[in-house]
Amino acid sequence: MTSRPSKPRSFQEIILRLQSYWAAQGCAMMQPYDMEVGAGTFHPATTLRSLGNRPWAAAYVQPSRRPTDGRYGENPNRLQHYYQYQVLIKPSPPDLQELYLGSLAAIGIDMELHDIRFVEDDWESPTLGAWGLGWEVWCDGMEVSQFTYFQQVGGHDCHPVSGELTYGLERLAMYVLGIDHVMDMPFNDPDAPIPLSYGDVFRQTEEEYSRWNFDVANTDVFLRHFEEAEAECEAILSQDHHDPKTAKRIVMAHPAYDQCIKASHIFNLLDARGVISVTERQAYIGRVRALAKQCADAFVLTEAGGYAGS
Amino acid sequence: MPNLLIELFSEEIPARMQARAAQDLQKRMTDGLVEAGLTYGGAKAFSTPRRLTLAIEDLLAASPTLREERKGPRVDAPEKAIEGFLRGAGLTRDQLEQRDTPKGAIYFASIEKPGRPAAAIVAEVLEDTIRNFPWPKSMRWGAGSLRWVRPLHSILCILSTEEGAETVPFEIDGITAGNTTRGHRFMGAEPFAVTGFDDYAAKLKRAHVILDAGEREGHILQEAQNRAFAAGFELVEDRGLLAEVAGLVEWPVVLMGEIGEDFLALPPEVLQTSMKEHQKFFSVRNPKTGRIERFITVANIETPDHGATILAGNQKVLAARLSDAKFFWENDLRTIREKGLEGMAAGLSDVTFHNKLGSQADRIKRIEALAREIAPMVGAKPDLAAEAARVAKADLQSEMVGEFPELQGLMGRYYAEAAGHDDGVPEACEEHYKPLGPGDAVPTNPVSVAVALADKIDTLTGFWAIDEKPTGSKDPYALRRAALGVIRLVLGNGVRFGLEAIMKSAFGPQPADWIIQSAKSSQAHTKADAALGIDESGLVFDEKQVVILDLLAFLHDRLKVHLRDEGIRHDVIDACLVMEGNDDLTLLVKRAEALADFLKTDDGDNLLQGFKRANNILTQAEENDGVEYSFGADVKFADTPEEKTLFTALDTAEPEIASAMQAEDFAAAMAAMARLRAPTDAFFEAVQVNAGNEVLRRNRLNLLSRIRTLCLSVADLTRIQG
């Protein structure tokens, strides 16, 4: 474990190393979910798959959006669009901490030179009705990952318990590569014929989205979208489990959950636009949570959710 | 006798829970062992981030054999009764003993409970301890159902004697106890076996784990002081942080780093808070400049580069944090320059204080009016107090307080200074939250006192108006603290005002609809009326008055608690509480203190007895005769010299006490009362009150009534015990 790994040279090399490390540990290499989400946890491969009794192991990169964190590409650390690397293993293996430390070694963190610490940080997602216990992992005083044992998701107790690892990729990569401003970070290999920095890829989009998020997004339209997503989610879940066309039992947990994701993201956008007052805020969070809970209720009635027939 | 060693090895235990968990482990195990008959010589518990350890010395090798004798039925009792007795005792009939007793021949059973070996008992008690451990928060992991603070990995459990150590056979949810453990995660990860506590502690140290949290703390403190001192600096000590940091490391390595020049202009509290809250760094001060210029961080590992990489990383993280803080600070200062403090406060109208009590801005308006009213009574200029109230909470809208809520008030002071105030307003911004607890200092700057009182009285009247009073242990709005705050502000500054009038003003702008509801619940317990000695048939109150009196009674309750802590007896306080002007707390306490002092003297105690005797005789006579003896004692009917002397003494004392009371000079009033002691004692010694002669008797009763009236004008002595 203490062999000195070579230093990665770019953002993408760190992602590739994590991919091959977790693939070697037997995780299914999932792809990002094709919707706007605030964090990797929202991917159904985490939220829904942490429910029910079926074993599961997956890892993936998830582009994540937090409209309020937009800084027009100027802040060295803050972005409204960034990447998370997410690992979910159910049931959590007894050596998950060692596996995690192995992943840090794989991306070039030398355990003999750095100070790695597990510092109490209980995770809670009010919008997902989920919580777990674990730590933020510190490397030389910097939080490099979130490490959580899920106890409840969508209001359901987790049996067995999933272990979840979330890496903030930009921050971790900046640390490993010794970069001070995210936009200066090499995206591909610096010696490639066409070397690209993170800024080459994302500076312009950060600017465009920051302007749109904060000042332009049509709030009336989004308020309506929120209502529509909420209504659609509930409409989907109110369908009979028996599909009259195929005569099969089809519970539409995933399509409904898509609408929950949509509502959650629209709420984040509206929040960034400052049109949600402090008191309303709680109410909106409660509405998204109610959707997440109904989706969880539906998922546990599906095969993937451990449903074994009535 | 064997020694017991237990170690519960897990993933990282939150620092704040470790010390308590070690205590709980010790208490639950030792209680359980003793209850099962295993006494012991001594016990000590330890904690590190990854382990809880308990060492018990001189444990009994087995629980003692217990003999119990049970009395059974009579020998000639029905067969069923005898069989039942045998079943209960687990014996056969031939094992019973017959004894003749005055009630006839009776069966006796002698039951022997053999002792059990320590290992079996330890296993049982340990299982119970683990399954019922009082973690503040616990979790499940994997596919199991066991709960622990974080996944539990291994259990070491051995009983050792001079002959050697044996592992206690024990298994819980797939974890089997053994005699091995591991050291530091990175510097001693190989498992090793141990034979007893000393061996365990020594081997752990070799594997880079300091078992004792106190030893880790001591090491960190000493190293940190040395580092700072060697560089010509001084460590800013922080006990709480020290304990926390000692719970984050098994092998503390102290490193000192620099704070970038760019950040040294930030207020020192901002540096300290940012470093402490986010990074768990200690602050290091330059004694020459008085500024915080260095930091100490504690790593958990020794590295070949002597911590250079670790320090560089920490420094970088700190710079990013402080850039944020600097950004907030500069933005806030710009807001002050462009819009002023009141501009900064503008957003408070969008912040809900409580849905029934309006926004923060609504609340600030109420506090402003109240501060203006209170100002003259505490020596502050009304306009200034009003202005301070308007801006005292402006910093809640600052970016800095948004990031570091614990800096509220303090940032207010900095921002008020930046806005050019040097008139007590900055102090009021900082101090108007105070005193926060019984140990917190009471502000004395008049503007601070005015705003602090207004703030707390608004809080109390507001929540009283909407009937959100503390019940039992529930006090979500910290109203007891607010009440104690009012009491300490008033007493600490010798403030003189009638709280009832102030509360009446404070209730004015509170939402009226709710008050009616609140009044109903106040009436349910008529404590308010009782405390004020108002008879229920007498006065009719409107709802507001009922709520005010209820709140006043609450304040009196808190005052009693406060004064009891200061050593004043509750009956002394009661005797003063029922007097006129009891909503002037300073006066009330002055009276109570004078009375307490008076009762400690010989004269005071004797006069109290004299008063009680007079009162008893009077009460009885009044009951028998159906009249009140309150007027008309005449010296010309005085029969004995003692009677005449008492008349003279009262003639002197009455005006003395009246004028002393007028001047609120309770000590002088008590001194005048003390001079009544000798004549009163002499009177009771020589004179029989219930004389045969009805004229003499009435005159004497009326004379006693003068004593009673006079004493009651100072305090209600009937409430004094003894």
Side-chain angles (χ1 to χ4, degrees):
Chain A
M1 199 174 91
T2 49
S3 71
R4 303 267 163 102
S6 64
K7 284 268 173 202
R9 293 163 51 84
S10 66
F11 184 53
Q12 71 189 30
E13 190 182 345
I14 287 171
I15 295 176
L16 290 169
R17 287 197 192 186
L18 283 173
Q19 290 281 64
S20 53
Y21 176 81
W22 285 108
Q25 307 309 321
C27 287
M29 290 295 104
M30 305 285 291
Q31 299 302 320
Y33 202 57
D34 60 341
M35 291 187 69
E36 298 148 301
V37 294
T41 310
F42 276 87
H43 197 308
T46 290
T47 321
L48 296 183
R49 293 290 176 159
S50 64
L51 293 162
N53 56 9
R54 294 195 146 202
W56 181 255
Y60 53 90
V61 176
Q62 180 62 51
S64 306
R65 302 196 189 209
R66 291 199 182 158
T68 38
D69 280 353
R71 294 291 184 274
Y72 301 83
E74 287 163 12
N75 187 290
N77 305 298
R78 279 186 202 255
L79 301 160
Q80 57 83 39
H81 173 281
Y82 64 103
Y83 291 106
Q84 283 194 339
Y85 195 84
Q86 176 88 4
V87 180
L88 188 88
I89 306 180
K90 177 174 75 173
S92 63
D95 58 347
L96 189 56
Q97 280 187 314
E98 275 68 35
L99 289 177
Y100 167 75
L101 293 172
S103 76
L104 293 187
I107 58 172
I109 294 179
D110 184 345
M111 299 295 153
E112 282 194 8
L113 281 180
H114 294 276
D115 183 32
I116 310 288
R117 230 86 73 64
F118 293 84
V119 180
E120 178 191 15
D121 189 31
D122 301 340
W123 172 81
E124 190 183 7
S125 167
T127 43
L128 287 177
W131 69 275
L133 298 190
W135 313 271
E136 49 184 48
V137 185
W138 286 14
C139 176
D140 304 336
M142 188 180 70
E143 184 192 343
V144 289
S145 303
Q146 193 78 35
F147 191 132
T148 308
Y149 292 100
F150 279 0
Q151 302 295 300
Q152 217 177 53
V153 172
H156 289 255
D157 279 348
C158 297
H159 269 297
V161 167
S162 302
E164 185 212 40
L165 306 172
T166 304
Y167 307 71
L169 281 174
E170 282 81 356
R171 192 153 34 152
L172 180 61
M174 283 167 68
Y175 189 68
V176 172
L177 300 172
I179 306 290
D180 290 329
H181 198 297
V182 64
M183 293 299 168
D184 299 335
M185 178 160 62
F187 200 99
N188 61 358
D189 194 291
D191 295 331
I194 306 172
L196 296 169
S197 71
Y198 196 93
D200 292 333
V201 182
F202 284 123
R203 179 174 284 122
Q204 184 179 323
T205 54
E206 279 300 307
E207 231 175 52
E208 293 177 7
Y209 278 104
S210 294
R211 183 175 177 199
W212 181 70
N213 290 339
F214 288 129
D215 301 320
V216 179
N218 185 328
T219 56
D220 292 340
V221 169
F222 281 104
L223 284 166
R224 203 173 66 231
H225 282 356
F226 184 92
E227 310 278 341
E228 286 165 358
E230 185 182 44
E232 179 64 9
C233 181
E234 284 168 348
I236 295 170
L237 293 174
S238 68
Q239 295 294 313
D240 199 291
H241 295 175
H242 176 79
D243 173 30
K245 200 165 89 193
T246 61
K248 285 185 182 171
R249 180 177 178 281
I250 305 180
V251 180
M252 293 168 286
H254 287 81
Y257 181 61
D258 284 354
Q259 299 302 317
C260 169
I261 293 180
K262 206 170 270 182
S264 171
H265 180 66
I266 294 168
F267 160 71
N268 287 343
L269 263 175
L270 292 169
D271 199 23
R273 291 285 279 110
V275 294
I276 292 179
S277 75
V278 181
T279 31
E280 282 172 325
R281 214 169 171 276
Q282 285 312 312
Y284 271 97
I285 290 172
R287 285 163 75 178
V288 177
R289 181 169 55 237
L291 296 182
K293 199 178 158 344
Q294 292 170 56
C295 292
D297 295 347
F299 180 74
V300 297
L301 295 177
T302 67
E303 200 190 334
Y307 182 74
S310 50
Chain B
M1 279 194 286
N3 296 330
L4 173 65
L5 176 64
I6 296 172
E7 182 203 65
L8 304 169
F9 184 83
S10 67
E11 296 179 13
E12 277 76 356
I13 306 166
R16 65 190 170 92
M17 300 178 188
Q18 290 166 19
R20 180 64 202 266
Q23 285 171 19
D24 285 336
L25 176 64
Q26 175 170 341
K27 174 147 184 20
R28 297 214 161 210
M29 281 304 300
T30 51
D31 283 0
L33 293 172
V34 168
E35 196 180 320
L38 287 188
T39 52
Y40 62 97
K44 198 160 174 9
F46 305 89
S47 61
T48 79
R50 295 209 292 168
R51 60 199 94 218
L52 296 180
T53 300
L54 175 64
I56 296 181
E57 281 186 344
D58 299 330
L59 190 67
L60 286 184
S63 59
T65 299
L66 296 175
R67 281 194 188 74
E68 182 197 353
E69 190 178 80
R70 251 186 238 178
K71 185 179 166 194
R74 287 161 60 101
V75 173
D76 56 4
E79 198 59 20
K80 276 207 167 140
I82 297 172
E83 276 169 16
F85 177 64
L86 287 170
R87 251 196 320 278
L91 298 174
T92 54
R93 183 158 322 190
D94 57 325
Q95 290 172 300
L96 296 182
E97 186 194 337
Q98 279 188 35
R99 270 188 228 161
D100 288 323
T101 74
K103 287 179 183 167
I106 286 183
Y107 279 125
F108 279 82
S110 182
I111 307 167
E112 189 175 289
K113 275 199 192 147
R116 300 166 62 216
I121 294 173
V122 167
E124 265 174 32
V125 177
L126 183 55
E127 163 142 21
D128 185 63
T129 299
I130 292 175
R131 290 206 189 278
N132 300 303
F133 205 81
W135 290 110
K137 255 188 197 171
S138 64
M139 55 165 275
R140 291 172 288 105
W141 60 95
S145 59
L146 189 64
R147 301 190 75 92
W148 199 244
V149 64
R150 291 294 183 276
L152 181 62
H153 278 271
S154 65
I155 297 170
L156 179 153
C157 186
I158 55 171
L159 281 164
S160 44
T161 59
E162 275 153 30
E163 283 88 63
E166 59 158 305
T167 302
V168 173
F170 173 67
E171 198 255 30
I172 187 164
D173 285 34
I175 305 168
T176 307
N179 65 346
T180 61
T181 185
R182 274 170 285 176
H184 190 277
R185 187 189 280 286
F186 301 106
M187 296 186 292
E190 290 307 309
F192 53 85
V194 302
T195 57
F197 178 73
D198 292 342
D199 183 45
Y200 167 80
K203 281 181 177 158
L204 271 184
K205 200 159 265 183
R206 250 176 281 150
H208 292 92
V209 173
I210 298 178
L211 178 63
D212 187 341
E215 191 182 333
R216 293 195 301 274
E217 280 186 27
H219 176 84
I220 294 168
L221 183 61
Q222 194 182 359
E223 280 290 301
Q225 282 169 335
N226 289 349
R227 296 277 162 137
F229 181 75
F233 291 93
E234 60 193 19
L235 178 74
V236 179
E237 286 192 27
D238 185 331
R239 285 273 146 199
L241 182 61
L242 182 61
E244 187 182 358
V245 169
L248 288 171
V249 293
E250 292 200 309
W251 191 257
V253 176
V254 173
L255 302 167
M256 186 166 78
E258 283 186 32
I259 299 169
E261 190 67 33
D262 280 4
F263 308 119
L264 297 182
L266 283 169
E269 295 88 348
V270 171
L271 286 175
Q272 255 167 290
T273 306
S274 180
M275 295 202 297
K276 172 181 173 170
E277 296 304 320
H278 294 303
Q279 303 302 135
K280 320 286 180 209
F281 288 172
F282 293 91
S283 296
V284 176
R285 190 185 292 122
N286 181 344
K288 292 186 206 90
T289 61
R291 293 188 308 191
I292 307 291
E293 297 180 3
R294 296 279 190 281
F295 67 87
I296 296 263
T297 183
V298 182
N300 188 36
I301 190 166
E302 284 172 3
T303 63
D305 66 352
H306 305 288
T309 309
I310 296 172
L311 196 58
N314 276 287
Q315 220 146 311
K316 198 165 169 177
V317 182
L318 180 65
R321 290 271 184 215
L322 293 183
S323 305
D324 272 354
K326 191 166 171 241
F327 178 73
F328 299 143
W329 168 246
E330 285 165 357
N331 281 355
D332 288 342
L333 290 180
R334 189 179 331 119
T335 305
I336 301 282
R337 266 198 312 278
E338 289 169 5
K339 301 181 190 161
L341 274 176
E342 299 198 22
M344 183 181 259
L348 289 172
S349 53
D350 297 329
V351 180
T352 307
F353 170 63
H354 183 286
N355 59 9
K356 292 180 187 168
L357 296 173
S359 68
Q360 283 282 16
D362 295 335
R363 177 166 139 73
I364 288 166
K365 273 195 206 98
R366 297 194 297 264
I367 296 174
E368 183 191 341
L370 212 48
R372 188 183 286 282
E373 184 175 340
I374 293 171
M377 305 175 211
V378 299
K381 289 191 190 124
D383 284 345
L384 203 55
E387 183 178 2
R390 270 200 305 279
V391 301
K393 294 184 194 294
D395 66 342
L396 294 181
Q397 286 297 97
S398 69
E399 294 186 21
M400 188 70 91
V401 173
E403 184 71 10
F404 300 109
E406 60 272 46
L407 292 179
Q408 72 170 25
L410 185 81
M411 293 319 297
R413 193 190 84 206
Y414 280 110
Y415 294 144
E417 280 166 359
H421 281 286
D422 60 354
D423 44 13
V425 172
E427 288 81 356
C429 290
E430 181 177 5
E431 295 174 339
H432 79 283
Y433 295 104
K434 292 172 180 265
L436 286 173
D440 197 22
V442 177
T444 53
N445 158 38
V447 183
S448 301
V449 174
V451 183
L453 276 171
D455 185 306
K456 289 168 186 63
I457 291 172
D458 176 71
T459 302
L460 287 166
T461 51
F463 285 104
W464 242 256
I466 61 168
D467 198 18
E468 288 278 358
K469 304 163 197 171
T471 51
S473 62
K474 286 211 188 84
D475 184 10
Y477 303 108
L479 300 179
R480 291 194 180 98
R481 191 173 81 186
L484 180 63
V486 170
I487 289 165
R488 292 190 58 215
L489 279 160
V490 167
L491 300 184
N493 290 291
V495 177
R496 295 296 311 274
F497 59 43
L499 266 173
E500 212 179 312
I502 299 281
M503 287 197 293
K504 210 168 271 174
S505 307
F507 268 109
Q510 303 290 5
D513 314 354
W514 301 103
I515 293 180
I516 294 165
Q517 187 57 38
S518 183
K520 283 188 188 133
S521 86
S522 305
Q523 271 169 330
H525 46 92
T526 51
K527 218 161 70 180
D529 303 40
L532 286 162
I534 295 164
D535 73 322
E536 286 160 34
S537 59
L539 293 158
V540 182
F541 299 111
D542 66 358
E543 279 90 2
K544 201 173 279 179
Q545 185 66 12
V546 170
V547 178
I548 288 173
L549 292 182
D550 190 57
L551 176 53
L552 188 59
F554 175 74
L555 278 160
H556 281 156
D557 274 350
R558 302 326 296 167
L559 178 67
K560 274 196 211 175
V561 174
H562 175 66
L563 291 181
R564 202 153 52 210
D565 294 346
E566 308 269 290
I568 298 187
R569 277 166 28 198
H570 67 94
D571 55 338
V572 171
I573 304 165
D574 283 339
C576 300
L577 267 180
V578 294
M579 305 304 290
E580 187 84 1
N582 67 355
D583 66 335
D584 178 339
L585 302 184
T586 301
L587 186 73
L588 177 56
V589 170
K590 226 167 114 184
R591 191 192 295 261
E593 281 168 351
L595 180 58
D597 286 346
F598 176 60
L599 291 175
K600 274 181 214 146
T601 64
D602 230 23
D603 282 345
D605 190 43
N606 279 302
L607 182 75
L608 178 67
Q609 301 316 323
F611 165 81
K612 290 210 157 172
R613 194 163 167 189
N615 191 41
N616 286 343
I617 294 168
L618 267 171
T619 313
Q620 207 166 14
E622 284 172 342
E623 237 167 66
N624 289 342
D625 306 350
V627 290
E628 191 178 313
Y629 293 99
S630 58
F631 183 73
D634 195 332
V635 71
K636 75 180 177 219
F637 298 118
D639 193 35
T640 63
E642 288 81 2
E643 233 172 326
K644 288 194 181 107
T645 316
L646 185 56
F647 266 102
T648 318
L650 279 168
D651 286 342
T652 319
E654 277 165 352
E656 271 178 8
I657 289 177
S659 73
M661 292 302 291
Q662 191 69 34
E664 295 171 358
D665 186 348
F666 297 109
M670 304 285 172
M673 287 219 307
R675 287 193 284 275
L676 285 176
R677 178 222 163 157
T680 308
D681 283 357
F683 172 84
F684 280 122
E685 192 73 24
V687 180
Q688 197 191 347
V689 177
N690 286 315
N693 182 325
E694 193 53 26
V695 176
L696 288 184
R697 176 174 172 264
R698 265 210 306 278
N699 198 51
R700 283 169 187 169
L701 286 168
N702 282 327
L703 178 62
L704 290 187
S705 150
R706 276 179 72 180
I707 299 178
R708 179 170 71 177
T709 308
L710 191 58
C711 289
L712 287 179
S713 76
V714 179
D716 186 353
L717 297 185
T718 59
R719 289 174 189 261
I720 303 291
Q721 289 161 7

